[in-house]
Tab-separated table of all heavy atoms in Angstrom:
chain	number	residue	atom	x	y	z
A	1	LYS	N	106.959	55.131	54.334
A	1	LYS	CA	106.246	54.582	55.472
A	1	LYS	C	104.913	55.287	55.685
A	1	LYS	O	103.935	54.653	56.010
A	1	LYS	CB	107.138	54.698	56.711
A	1	LYS	CG	106.509	54.260	57.987
A	1	LYS	CD	106.714	52.809	58.219
A	1	LYS	CE	106.120	52.433	59.561
A	1	LYS	NZ	106.012	51.045	59.724
A	2	GLY	N	104.849	56.586	55.502
A	2	GLY	CA	103.610	57.329	55.728
A	2	GLY	C	102.486	56.915	54.818
A	2	GLY	O	101.322	56.942	55.200
A	3	ILE	N	102.782	56.503	53.608
A	3	ILE	CA	101.723	56.126	52.662
A	3	ILE	C	101.109	54.773	53.011
A	3	ILE	O	99.999	54.460	52.598
A	3	ILE	CB	102.245	56.142	51.215
A	3	ILE	CG1	101.081	56.231	50.256
A	3	ILE	CG2	103.094	54.919	50.915
A	3	ILE	CD1	101.445	56.796	48.925
A	4	SER	N	101.794	53.972	53.843
A	4	SER	CA	101.254	52.660	54.210
A	4	SER	C	99.981	52.774	55.039
A	4	SER	O	99.215	51.826	55.120
A	4	SER	CB	102.292	51.829	54.952
A	4	SER	OG	102.573	52.406	56.207
A	5	LEU	N	99.738	53.916	55.651
A	5	LEU	CA	98.532	54.122	56.449
A	5	LEU	C	97.434	54.843	55.687
A	5	LEU	O	96.382	55.136	56.245
A	5	LEU	CB	98.865	54.893	57.727
A	5	LEU	CG	99.777	54.171	58.709
A	5	LEU	CD1	100.112	55.071	59.882
A	5	LEU	CD2	99.142	52.885	59.191
A	6	LEU	N	97.655	55.107	54.414
A	6	LEU	CA	96.673	55.845	53.620
A	6	LEU	C	95.318	55.142	53.608
A	6	LEU	O	94.276	55.784	53.764
A	6	LEU	CB	97.176	56.060	52.194
A	6	LEU	CG	96.246	56.845	51.275
A	6	LEU	CD1	95.965	58.225	51.833
A	6	LEU	CD2	96.856	56.943	49.881
A	7	GLY	N	95.313	53.824	53.449
A	7	GLY	CA	94.051	53.078	53.460
A	7	GLY	C	93.300	53.238	54.770
A	7	GLY	O	92.071	53.413	54.780
A	8	ASN	N	94.019	53.211	55.873
A	8	ASN	CA	93.399	53.396	57.183
A	8	ASN	C	92.813	54.794	57.314
A	8	ASN	O	91.707	54.981	57.835
A	8	ASN	CB	94.420	53.172	58.299
A	8	ASN	CG	94.857	51.735	58.415
A	8	ASN	OD1	95.121	51.071	57.414
A	8	ASN	ND2	94.954	51.249	59.629
A	9	ILE	N	93.549	55.779	56.841
A	9	ILE	CA	93.082	57.167	56.928
A	9	ILE	C	91.821	57.355	56.091
A	9	ILE	O	90.840	57.950	56.543
A	9	ILE	CB	94.187	58.136	56.481
A	9	ILE	CG1	95.333	58.108	57.492
A	9	ILE	CG2	93.644	59.552	56.319
A	9	ILE	CD1	96.600	58.774	57.012
A	10	LEU	N	91.827	56.832	54.875
A	10	LEU	CA	90.652	56.953	54.007
A	10	LEU	C	89.450	56.222	54.600
A	10	LEU	O	88.319	56.714	54.541
A	10	LEU	CB	90.971	56.441	52.604
A	10	LEU	CG	91.997	57.256	51.826
A	10	LEU	CD1	92.349	56.552	50.512
A	10	LEU	CD2	91.493	58.664	51.575
A	11	ALA	N	89.684	55.038	55.192
A	11	ALA	CA	88.593	54.288	55.826
A	11	ALA	C	88.032	55.057	57.013
A	11	ALA	O	86.810	55.128	57.201
A	11	ALA	CB	89.085	52.912	56.266
A	12	ALA	N	88.915	55.653	57.816
A	12	ALA	CA	88.463	56.434	58.971
A	12	ALA	C	87.642	57.638	58.534
A	12	ALA	O	86.606	57.952	59.128
A	12	ALA	CB	89.662	56.878	59.812
A	13	MET	N	88.087	58.306	57.478
A	13	MET	CA	87.346	59.465	56.970
A	13	MET	C	85.979	59.051	56.447
A	13	MET	O	84.976	59.721	56.708
A	13	MET	CB	88.156	60.155	55.874
A	13	MET	CG	89.400	60.861	56.399
A	13	MET	SD	90.503	61.466	55.112
A	13	MET	CE	89.442	62.583	54.214
A	14	SER	N	85.931	57.931	55.728
A	14	SER	CA	84.662	57.434	55.195
A	14	SER	C	83.700	57.078	56.326
A	14	SER	O	82.511	57.416	56.280
A	14	SER	CB	84.917	56.213	54.304
A	14	SER	OG	83.721	55.679	53.832
A	15	GLY	N	84.211	56.394	57.335
A	15	GLY	CA	83.374	56.034	58.484
A	15	GLY	C	82.871	57.257	59.231
A	15	GLY	O	81.713	57.313	59.646
A	16	ALA	N	83.742	58.243	59.394
A	16	ALA	CA	83.358	59.477	60.096
A	16	ALA	C	82.242	60.201	59.355
A	16	ALA	O	81.334	60.760	59.975
A	16	ALA	CB	84.567	60.391	60.261
A	17	GLU	N	82.292	60.176	58.023
A	17	GLU	CA	81.222	60.802	57.231
A	17	GLU	C	79.882	60.130	57.466
A	17	GLU	O	78.828	60.749	57.334
A	17	GLU	CB	81.574	60.750	55.748
A	17	GLU	CG	82.700	61.688	55.354
A	17	GLU	CD	83.124	61.519	53.902
A	17	GLU	OE1	82.517	60.691	53.179
A	17	GLU	OE2	84.075	62.208	53.504
A	18	GLU	N	79.916	58.841	57.842
A	18	GLU	CA	78.684	58.097	58.124
A	18	GLU	C	78.304	58.149	59.598
A	18	GLU	O	77.344	57.515	60.015
A	18	GLU	CB	78.857	56.631	57.688
A	18	GLU	CG	79.071	56.456	56.191
A	18	GLU	CD	77.853	56.865	55.386
A	18	GLU	OE1	76.711	56.618	55.828
A	18	GLU	OE2	78.046	57.433	54.294
A	19	GLY	N	79.104	58.856	60.395
A	19	GLY	CA	78.796	59.002	61.811
A	19	GLY	C	79.435	57.958	62.712
A	19	GLY	O	79.118	57.887	63.895
A	20	ALA	N	80.349	57.143	62.180
A	20	ALA	CA	80.994	56.097	62.983
A	20	ALA	C	82.126	56.681	63.816
A	20	ALA	O	82.822	57.595	63.381
A	20	ALA	CB	81.534	55.000	62.075
A	21	ASP	N	82.307	56.150	65.008
A	21	ASP	CA	83.439	56.535	65.850
A	21	ASP	C	84.707	55.824	65.405
A	21	ASP	O	85.812	56.324	65.603
A	21	ASP	CB	83.165	56.185	67.313
A	21	ASP	CG	82.055	57.038	67.899
A	21	ASP	OD1	81.945	58.220	67.512
A	21	ASP	OD2	81.304	56.520	68.732
A	22	GLU	N	84.576	54.636	64.850
A	22	GLU	CA	85.714	53.845	64.388
A	22	GLU	C	85.270	53.015	63.201
A	22	GLU	O	84.093	52.684	63.066
A	22	GLU	CB	86.231	52.943	65.505
A	22	GLU	CG	87.339	51.976	65.127
A	22	GLU	CD	88.616	52.623	64.595
A	22	GLU	OE1	88.544	53.307	63.561
A	22	GLU	OE2	89.678	52.445	65.207
A	23	THR	N	86.212	52.677	62.342
A	23	THR	CA	85.953	51.833	61.175
A	23	THR	C	86.745	50.544	61.353
A	23	THR	O	87.947	50.585	61.607
A	23	THR	CB	86.402	52.551	59.887
A	23	THR	OG1	85.696	53.793	59.783
A	23	THR	CG2	86.106	51.715	58.665
A	24	ILE	N	86.073	49.408	61.247
A	24	ILE	CA	86.725	48.113	61.405
A	24	ILE	C	87.155	47.609	60.031
A	24	ILE	O	86.349	47.521	59.100
A	24	ILE	CB	85.776	47.089	62.067
A	24	ILE	CG1	85.294	47.609	63.427
A	24	ILE	CG2	86.461	45.731	62.201
A	24	ILE	CD1	86.388	47.881	64.432
A	25	LEU	N	88.436	47.267	59.910
A	25	LEU	CA	88.987	46.770	58.648
A	25	LEU	C	88.969	45.243	58.663
A	25	LEU	O	89.336	44.615	59.648
A	25	LEU	CB	90.415	47.286	58.467
A	25	LEU	CG	90.583	48.807	58.576
A	25	LEU	CD1	92.050	49.178	58.465
A	25	LEU	CD2	89.770	49.521	57.519
A	26	HIS	N	88.529	44.663	57.557
A	26	HIS	CA	88.461	43.197	57.468
A	26	HIS	C	88.802	42.763	56.056
A	26	HIS	O	88.718	43.539	55.102
A	26	HIS	CB	87.072	42.695	57.870
A	26	HIS	CG	85.982	43.238	57.002
A	26	HIS	ND1	85.566	42.600	55.854
A	26	HIS	CD2	85.251	44.369	57.092
A	26	HIS	CE1	84.601	43.320	55.282
A	26	HIS	NE2	84.397	44.409	56.020
A	27	ARG	N	89.204	41.519	55.934
A	27	ARG	CA	89.512	40.934	54.629
A	27	ARG	C	89.154	39.459	54.676
A	27	ARG	O	89.501	38.762	55.616
A	27	ARG	CB	91.001	41.096	54.309
A	27	ARG	CG	91.370	40.507	52.942
A	27	ARG	CD	92.792	40.756	52.587
A	27	ARG	NE	92.928	42.210	52.409
A	27	ARG	CZ	94.091	42.832	52.366
A	27	ARG	NH1	95.205	42.180	52.491
A	27	ARG	NH2	94.128	44.137	52.194
A	28	ASP	N	88.448	39.003	53.669
A	28	ASP	CA	88.046	37.590	53.564
A	28	ASP	C	87.322	37.108	54.821
A	28	ASP	O	87.532	35.986	55.276
A	28	ASP	CB	89.261	36.695	53.279
A	28	ASP	CG	89.953	37.044	51.973
A	28	ASP	OD1	89.248	37.442	51.024
A	28	ASP	OD2	91.189	36.931	51.904
A	29	GLY	N	86.511	37.971	55.402
A	29	GLY	CA	85.714	37.595	56.562
A	29	GLY	C	86.447	37.627	57.890
A	29	GLY	O	85.890	37.259	58.907
A	30	LEU	N	87.710	38.048	57.888
A	30	LEU	CA	88.484	38.109	59.126
A	30	LEU	C	88.725	39.558	59.518
A	30	LEU	O	89.144	40.367	58.695
A	30	LEU	CB	89.837	37.407	58.957
A	30	LEU	CG	89.783	35.918	58.647
A	30	LEU	CD1	91.191	35.380	58.418
A	30	LEU	CD2	89.106	35.163	59.779
A	31	VAL	N	88.469	39.874	60.774
A	31	VAL	CA	88.723	41.211	61.287
A	31	VAL	C	90.221	41.369	61.483
A	31	VAL	O	90.879	40.502	62.050
A	31	VAL	CB	87.994	41.430	62.630
A	31	VAL	CG1	88.422	42.724	63.282
A	31	VAL	CG2	86.489	41.409	62.409
A	32	GLY	N	90.772	42.482	60.989
A	32	GLY	CA	92.193	42.725	61.145
A	32	GLY	C	92.483	43.743	62.225
A	32	GLY	O	93.222	43.484	63.162
A	33	GLU	N	91.861	44.918	62.096
A	33	GLU	CA	92.111	46.014	63.023
A	33	GLU	C	91.087	47.101	62.784
A	33	GLU	O	90.341	47.055	61.820
A	33	GLU	CB	93.520	46.580	62.819
A	33	GLU	CG	93.738	47.127	61.412
A	33	GLU	CD	95.170	47.544	61.151
A	33	GLU	OE1	95.916	47.774	62.119
A	33	GLU	OE2	95.542	47.652	59.975
A	34	GLY	N	91.077	48.075	63.671
A	34	GLY	CA	90.312	49.274	63.419
A	34	GLY	C	91.175	50.223	62.611
A	34	GLY	O	92.401	50.065	62.538
A	35	ALA	N	90.567	51.220	61.989
A	35	ALA	CA	91.336	52.179	61.197
A	35	ALA	C	92.352	52.906	62.065
A	35	ALA	O	93.443	53.237	61.610
A	35	ALA	CB	90.406	53.172	60.515
A	36	THR	N	92.003	53.134	63.336
A	36	THR	CA	92.916	53.844	64.243
A	36	THR	C	93.145	53.101	65.554
A	36	THR	O	93.779	53.640	66.463
A	36	THR	CB	92.380	55.253	64.565
A	36	THR	OG1	91.116	55.124	65.222
A	36	THR	CG2	92.218	56.087	63.309
A	37	THR	N	92.628	51.871	65.665
A	37	THR	CA	92.728	51.114	66.909
A	37	THR	C	93.003	49.646	66.633
A	37	THR	O	92.873	49.185	65.499
A	37	THR	CB	91.414	51.191	67.708
A	37	THR	OG1	90.367	50.635	66.895
A	37	THR	CG2	91.068	52.605	68.108
A	38	ASN	N	93.346	48.897	67.669
A	38	ASN	CA	93.401	47.441	67.591
A	38	ASN	C	92.026	46.902	67.947
A	38	ASN	O	91.253	47.560	68.636
A	38	ASN	CB	94.415	46.874	68.576
A	38	ASN	CG	95.838	47.185	68.179
A	38	ASN	OD1	96.132	47.438	67.016
A	38	ASN	ND2	96.720	47.172	69.150
A	39	VAL	N	91.733	45.695	67.497
A	39	VAL	CA	90.466	45.054	67.823
A	39	VAL	C	90.758	43.835	68.676
A	39	VAL	O	91.591	43.009	68.326
A	39	VAL	CB	89.710	44.623	66.545
A	39	VAL	CG1	88.474	43.825	66.895
A	39	VAL	CG2	89.343	45.839	65.713
A	40	VAL	N	90.078	43.750	69.813
A	40	VAL	CA	90.193	42.613	70.710
A	40	VAL	C	88.777	42.207	71.066
A	40	VAL	O	87.950	43.047	71.391
A	40	VAL	CB	90.981	42.983	71.990
A	40	VAL	CG1	91.046	41.807	72.941
A	40	VAL	CG2	92.377	43.469	71.639
A	41	ALA	N	88.478	40.900	70.989
A	41	ALA	CA	87.132	40.421	71.298
A	41	ALA	C	87.205	39.257	72.275
A	41	ALA	O	88.150	38.477	72.241
A	41	ALA	CB	86.430	39.973	70.020
A	42	LEU	N	86.213	39.164	73.122
A	42	LEU	CA	86.071	38.026	74.013
A	42	LEU	C	84.940	37.174	73.454
A	42	LEU	O	83.780	37.585	73.458
A	42	LEU	CB	85.760	38.499	75.434
A	42	LEU	CG	85.804	37.443	76.517
A	42	LEU	CD1	87.200	36.843	76.624
A	42	LEU	CD2	85.383	38.041	77.843
A	43	ILE	N	85.290	35.998	72.926
A	43	ILE	CA	84.323	35.109	72.289
A	43	ILE	C	84.312	33.787	73.041
A	43	ILE	O	85.338	33.107	73.120
A	43	ILE	CB	84.666	34.876	70.802
A	43	ILE	CG1	84.675	36.221	70.061
A	43	ILE	CG2	83.687	33.893	70.174
A	43	ILE	CD1	85.155	36.126	68.629
A	44	ASP	N	83.168	33.433	73.595
A	44	ASP	CA	83.038	32.205	74.372
A	44	ASP	C	84.119	32.094	75.441
A	44	ASP	O	84.708	31.035	75.646
A	44	ASP	CB	83.065	30.977	73.462
A	44	ASP	CG	81.882	30.919	72.515
A	44	ASP	OD1	80.788	31.370	72.910
A	44	ASP	OD2	82.049	30.433	71.380
A	45	GLY	N	84.428	33.215	76.101
A	45	GLY	CA	85.402	33.209	77.175
A	45	GLY	C	86.846	33.186	76.727
A	45	GLY	O	87.747	33.044	77.530
A	46	GLU	N	87.095	33.319	75.427
A	46	GLU	CA	88.448	33.284	74.886
A	46	GLU	C	88.771	34.618	74.228
A	46	GLU	O	88.003	35.108	73.410
A	46	GLU	CB	88.550	32.153	73.856
A	46	GLU	CG	89.906	31.962	73.260
A	46	GLU	CD	89.930	30.773	72.316
A	46	GLU	OE1	89.640	29.649	72.754
A	46	GLU	OE2	90.222	30.990	71.135
A	47	LEU	N	89.894	35.224	74.592
A	47	LEU	CA	90.302	36.486	73.998
A	47	LEU	C	90.884	36.214	72.621
A	47	LEU	O	91.805	35.431	72.461
A	47	LEU	CB	91.341	37.182	74.872
A	47	LEU	CG	91.719	38.587	74.426
A	47	LEU	CD1	90.543	39.529	74.663
A	47	LEU	CD2	92.933	39.072	75.146
A	48	VAL	N	90.314	36.866	71.615
A	48	VAL	CA	90.745	36.686	70.233
A	48	VAL	C	91.194	38.033	69.707
A	48	VAL	O	90.497	39.027	69.841
A	48	VAL	CB	89.584	36.144	69.363
A	48	VAL	CG1	90.028	35.962	67.925
A	48	VAL	CG2	89.053	34.841	69.935
A	49	ASP	N	92.387	38.069	69.097
A	49	ASP	CA	92.870	39.328	68.562
A	49	ASP	C	93.716	39.079	67.326
A	49	ASP	O	94.245	38.008	67.120
A	49	ASP	CB	93.689	40.086	69.610
A	49	ASP	CG	95.005	39.404	69.895
A	49	ASP	OD1	94.988	38.368	70.573
A	49	ASP	OD2	96.018	39.899	69.409
A	50	GLY	N	93.802	40.108	66.506
A	50	GLY	CA	94.639	40.046	65.327
A	50	GLY	C	95.923	40.826	65.513
A	50	GLY	O	96.770	40.851	64.638
A	51	MET	N	96.068	41.459	66.641
A	51	MET	CA	97.232	42.303	66.908
A	51	MET	C	97.792	41.950	68.285
A	51	MET	O	97.395	40.986	68.891
A	51	MET	CB	96.811	43.785	66.881
A	51	MET	CG	96.098	44.205	65.618
A	51	MET	SD	97.089	44.054	64.134
A	51	MET	CE	98.166	45.443	64.328
A	52	ASN	N	98.695	42.773	68.770
A	52	ASN	CA	99.278	42.565	70.097
A	52	ASN	C	98.289	42.978	71.178
A	52	ASN	O	97.624	43.990	71.065
A	52	ASN	CB	100.555	43.383	70.251
A	52	ASN	CG	101.648	42.904	69.338
A	52	ASN	OD1	101.748	41.718	69.050
A	52	ASN	ND2	102.459	43.816	68.865
A	53	VAL	N	98.225	42.174	72.203
A	53	VAL	CA	97.361	42.466	73.345
A	53	VAL	C	98.218	43.087	74.438
A	53	VAL	O	99.291	42.572	74.746
A	53	VAL	CB	96.703	41.172	73.865
A	53	VAL	CG1	95.946	41.431	75.145
A	53	VAL	CG2	95.789	40.583	72.814
A	54	PRO	N	97.764	44.198	75.025
A	54	PRO	CA	98.526	44.807	76.113
A	54	PRO	C	98.749	43.827	77.262
A	54	PRO	O	97.918	42.954	77.527
A	54	PRO	CB	97.639	45.974	76.568
A	54	PRO	CG	96.747	46.253	75.409
A	54	PRO	CD	96.555	44.931	74.707
A	55	ASP	N	99.874	43.971	77.942
A	55	ASP	CA	100.224	43.070	79.046
A	55	ASP	C	99.140	42.990	80.105
A	55	ASP	O	98.889	41.923	80.648
A	55	ASP	CB	101.537	43.506	79.693
A	55	ASP	CG	102.739	43.241	78.802
A	55	ASP	OD1	102.633	42.400	77.890
A	55	ASP	OD2	103.776	43.884	79.028
A	56	PHE	N	98.482	44.126	80.402
A	56	PHE	CA	97.481	44.082	81.466
A	56	PHE	C	96.310	43.173	81.095
A	56	PHE	O	95.734	42.527	81.963
A	56	PHE	CB	96.995	45.487	81.854
A	56	PHE	CG	96.002	46.106	80.916
A	56	PHE	CD1	94.638	45.924	81.109
A	56	PHE	CD2	96.417	46.870	79.843
A	56	PHE	CE1	93.717	46.489	80.251
A	56	PHE	CE2	95.508	47.446	78.981
A	56	PHE	CZ	94.157	47.250	79.181
A	57	LEU	N	95.960	43.076	79.806
A	57	LEU	CA	94.888	42.155	79.402
A	57	LEU	C	95.345	40.713	79.497
A	57	LEU	O	94.591	39.839	79.928
A	57	LEU	CB	94.423	42.462	77.977
A	57	LEU	CG	93.530	43.675	77.798
A	57	LEU	CD1	93.171	43.864	76.333
A	57	LEU	CD2	92.271	43.552	78.630
A	58	THR	N	96.585	40.444	79.095
A	58	THR	CA	97.122	39.093	79.203
A	58	THR	C	97.168	38.662	80.662
A	58	THR	O	96.789	37.538	81.001
A	58	THR	CB	98.529	39.024	78.581
A	58	THR	OG1	98.445	39.437	77.210
A	58	THR	CG2	99.086	37.622	78.632
A	59	ASP	N	97.604	39.551	81.554
A	59	ASP	CA	97.633	39.251	82.989
A	59	ASP	C	96.234	38.979	83.525
A	59	ASP	O	96.027	38.051	84.308
A	59	ASP	CB	98.270	40.399	83.774
A	59	ASP	CG	99.743	40.566	83.483
A	59	ASP	OD1	100.367	39.620	82.944
A	59	ASP	OD2	100.274	41.654	83.786
A	60	LEU	N	95.275	39.791	83.111
A	60	LEU	CA	93.891	39.598	83.540
A	60	LEU	C	93.366	38.242	83.083
A	60	LEU	O	92.729	37.520	83.856
A	60	LEU	CB	93.000	40.724	83.002
A	60	LEU	CG	91.513	40.619	83.319
A	60	LEU	CD1	91.279	40.640	84.828
A	60	LEU	CD2	90.752	41.736	82.637
A	61	LEU	N	93.634	37.879	81.846
A	61	LEU	CA	93.191	36.577	81.342
A	61	LEU	C	93.810	35.438	82.138
A	61	LEU	O	93.140	34.449	82.445
A	61	LEU	CB	93.551	36.428	79.865
A	61	LEU	CG	92.737	37.291	78.922
A	61	LEU	CD1	93.304	37.201	77.508
A	61	LEU	CD2	91.289	36.867	78.923
A	62	ASP	N	95.089	35.559	82.472
A	62	ASP	CA	95.749	34.529	83.273
A	62	ASP	C	95.051	34.372	84.627
A	62	ASP	O	94.792	33.252	85.065
A	62	ASP	CB	97.225	34.872	83.494
A	62	ASP	CG	98.057	34.698	82.243
A	62	ASP	OD1	97.602	34.018	81.294
A	62	ASP	OD2	99.175	35.256	82.202
A	63	ARG	N	94.731	35.505	85.257
A	63	ARG	CA	94.060	35.451	86.557
A	63	ARG	C	92.668	34.853	86.455
A	63	ARG	O	92.189	34.207	87.383
A	63	ARG	CB	93.993	36.839	87.183
A	63	ARG	CG	95.332	37.256	87.775
A	63	ARG	CD	95.227	38.542	88.542
A	63	ARG	NE	95.452	39.629	87.585
A	63	ARG	CZ	94.880	40.812	87.628
A	63	ARG	NH1	94.024	41.108	88.566
A	63	ARG	NH2	95.150	41.721	86.732
A	64	LEU	N	92.009	35.063	85.308
A	64	LEU	CA	90.659	34.528	85.111
A	64	LEU	C	90.676	33.103	84.565
A	64	LEU	O	89.640	32.479	84.416
A	64	LEU	CB	89.876	35.428	84.143
A	64	LEU	CG	89.568	36.833	84.646
A	64	LEU	CD1	88.938	37.658	83.528
A	64	LEU	CD2	88.651	36.781	85.860
A	65	GLY	N	91.873	32.613	84.220
A	65	GLY	CA	91.982	31.259	83.665
A	65	GLY	C	91.430	31.154	82.257
A	65	GLY	O	90.906	30.116	81.863
A	66	ARG	N	91.532	32.227	81.494
A	66	ARG	CA	90.991	32.266	80.128
A	66	ARG	C	92.106	32.091	79.103
A	66	ARG	O	93.255	32.437	79.350
A	66	ARG	CB	90.286	33.595	79.856
A	66	ARG	CG	89.167	33.899	80.795
A	66	ARG	CD	88.017	32.950	80.609
A	66	ARG	NE	86.937	33.318	81.511
A	66	ARG	CZ	85.707	32.991	81.323
A	66	ARG	NH1	85.352	32.275	80.292
A	66	ARG	NH2	84.787	33.347	82.182
A	67	ALA	N	91.743	31.610	77.936
A	67	ALA	CA	92.697	31.392	76.853
A	67	ALA	C	92.762	32.606	75.942
A	67	ALA	O	91.914	33.484	75.988
A	67	ALA	CB	92.284	30.161	76.037
A	68	ARG	N	93.782	32.638	75.080
A	68	ARG	CA	93.962	33.728	74.120
A	68	ARG	C	94.460	33.157	72.813
A	68	ARG	O	95.289	32.273	72.786
A	68	ARG	CB	94.993	34.716	74.665
A	68	ARG	CG	95.366	35.779	73.683
A	68	ARG	CD	96.419	36.707	74.291
A	68	ARG	NE	96.859	37.627	73.279
A	68	ARG	CZ	98.023	37.564	72.674
A	68	ARG	NH1	98.892	36.655	72.996
A	68	ARG	NH2	98.319	38.432	71.736
A	69	THR	N	93.917	33.650	71.687
A	69	THR	CA	94.403	33.257	70.374
A	69	THR	C	94.702	34.502	69.571
A	69	THR	O	94.215	35.575	69.869
A	69	THR	CB	93.383	32.394	69.604
A	69	THR	OG1	92.244	33.202	69.309
A	69	THR	CG2	92.972	31.175	70.373
A	70	GLU	N	95.507	34.347	68.517
A	70	GLU	CA	95.834	35.455	67.620
A	70	GLU	C	95.487	35.069	66.191
A	70	GLU	O	96.310	35.148	65.312
A	70	GLU	CB	97.328	35.798	67.697
A	70	GLU	CG	97.711	36.520	68.946
A	70	GLU	CD	99.126	37.031	68.876
A	70	GLU	OE1	99.506	37.601	67.842
A	70	GLU	OE2	99.842	36.843	69.867
A	71	ASP	N	94.259	34.655	65.958
A	71	ASP	CA	93.900	34.209	64.610
A	71	ASP	C	92.976	35.156	63.869
A	71	ASP	O	92.579	34.885	62.756
A	71	ASP	CB	93.299	32.816	64.647
A	71	ASP	CG	91.984	32.751	65.426
A	71	ASP	OD1	91.505	33.812	65.859
A	71	ASP	OD2	91.462	31.658	65.583
A	72	GLY	N	92.619	36.284	64.475
A	72	GLY	CA	91.787	37.269	63.801
A	72	GLY	C	90.329	36.898	63.670
A	72	GLY	O	89.604	37.512	62.915
A	73	ARG	N	89.874	35.860	64.410
A	73	ARG	CA	88.463	35.493	64.328
A	73	ARG	C	87.591	36.609	64.812
A	73	ARG	O	87.842	37.278	65.739
A	73	ARG	CB	88.160	34.257	65.173
A	73	ARG	CG	88.590	33.010	64.552
A	73	ARG	CD	88.067	31.826	65.294
A	73	ARG	NE	88.786	31.739	66.568
A	73	ARG	CZ	88.328	31.078	67.605
A	73	ARG	NH1	87.170	30.489	67.569
A	73	ARG	NH2	88.999	31.007	68.718
């Protein structure tokens, strides 16, 4: 299980050498995640994520009447 994160660790180290606070991982033009974080974006009023969204964000979106997708856009 520990070796499954090796790519993330190497990406984070590479980004840090370039002065980045976080490295965004993507494949075929789709954002998947950060090396050490989840990625969540608000695009045209719609929350888009490739991972799980914390309950407080889902609740906030409901109160704002906004939609949510999990397609990694």
